[in-house]
Amino acid sequence: MDCTVLIVDDHPSFRASARVLLESEGFNVIGEAVDGASAVSETCRLKPQLVLLDVQLPDIDGFDVAARITGHPDSPAVILVSSRDSSDFGPLVSRSGARGFVPKAELSGERVQELLV
């Protein structure tokens, strides 16, 4: 697998652990972003195949960022992550254009791959 990934999260420790985990499972992490605005600009600049996107960002919420990223042709897949449970977000995940949601504690290459197929 050589899926390119942009990790978006305002916590450096999560970005670092997600990078190690995904790279160890064959993903190619090509960039990181700390907020919604940089997520949108880095997605345009780097053109990743996947954006791993935190729901709670300091400037724009992840649902809005996902809608912006997926709202044009040739957009990458987006998978939302949060320390909260998916039931806290109701229909927001499906409305955002994201492929799905993975709780941060359950992040794995296998869970990501399941949402990409």
Side-chain angles (χ1 to χ4, degrees):
M1 146 154 345
D2 195 30
C3 179
T4 57
V5 182
L6 172 67
I7 299 172
V8 182
D9 195 285
D10 56 324
H11 294 101
S13 59
F14 177 77
R15 291 195 313 271
S17 61
R19 174 184 283 273
V20 168
L21 183 142
L22 292 174
E23 287 180 343
S24 73
E25 297 194 33
F27 291 85
N28 179 15
V29 177
I30 59 171
E32 298 180 7
V34 299
D35 58 28
S38 61
V40 173
S41 64
E42 287 296 276
T43 298
C44 292
R45 185 177 76 83
L46 297 171
K47 305 211 179 315
Q49 295 168 301
L50 168 65
V51 178
L52 188 68
L53 177 62
D54 187 21
V55 169
Q56 296 171 294
L57 296 169
D59 57 348
I60 310 166
D61 78 60
F63 300 111
D64 189 33
V65 175
R68 292 180 193 192
I69 290 173
T70 62
H72 54 83
D74 299 324
S75 62
V78 173
I79 295 177
L80 293 163
V81 294
S82 177
S83 54
R84 296 169 57 189
D85 189 76
S86 63
S87 62
D88 293 343
F89 304 116
L92 294 172
V93 173
S94 59
R95 288 186 195 149
S96 71
R99 293 276 182 99
F101 174 88
V102 177
K104 287 182 178 180
E106 297 174 21
L107 181 65
S108 70
E110 183 178 344
R111 289 289 303 271
V112 169
Q113 191 60 38
E114 288 170 0
L115 292 171
L116 293 177
V117 292

